[in-house]
Amino acid sequence: MDNYIKVGIVPDIHGLTQWKEWIEEFRRQDVDQVVFLGDYVDSHTHTDTQIYDNLLEVVEFKKKNSDGVHLLMGNHIVGY
């Protein structure tokens, strides 16, 4: 079973920072690849500044882990 990889999925975060906890869990489980499903913005509970800062953290995480992190666009990205 050496030909498989573990993939961690991060669903729509909409400005939430919970993704950081999931990443820590993925590390504990030796996940090889992380896929963010998009929708990083558009929250009814967070300010635009909080959403923007969180998005910058996601992008920075991607930069530091470029081969193992994949950022997809969600339906809430259209128009931004």
Side-chain angles (χ1 to χ4, degrees):
M1 302 254 344
D2 292 329
N3 295 347
Y4 70 94
I5 61 170
K6 285 185 174 182
V7 178
I9 302 296
V10 178
D12 302 7
I13 60 175
H14 293 287
L16 300 174
T17 59
Q18 187 178 8
W19 65 271
K20 297 174 193 178
E21 296 170 27
W22 298 331
I23 296 302
E24 290 305 315
E25 182 60 30
F26 295 159
R27 286 186 175 132
R28 286 191 287 277
Q29 294 183 23
D30 294 322
V31 166
D32 301 302
Q33 301 284 310
V34 175
V35 178
F36 284 77
L37 298 182
D39 290 349
Y40 311 97
V41 298
D42 200 17
S43 170
H44 298 288
T45 59
H46 291 75
T47 67
D48 288 345
T49 300
Q50 290 171 316
I51 295 167
Y52 179 75
D53 290 344
N54 190 49
L55 178 59
L56 289 179
E57 289 185 55
V58 170
V59 171
E60 191 61 32
F61 177 68
K62 164 64 175 165
K63 286 180 182 178
K64 290 180 180 177
N65 303 280
S66 60
D67 291 338
V69 175
H70 309 279
L71 305 179
L72 304 180
M73 289 179 45
N75 62 308
H76 287 255
I77 299 299
V78 176
Y80 283 91

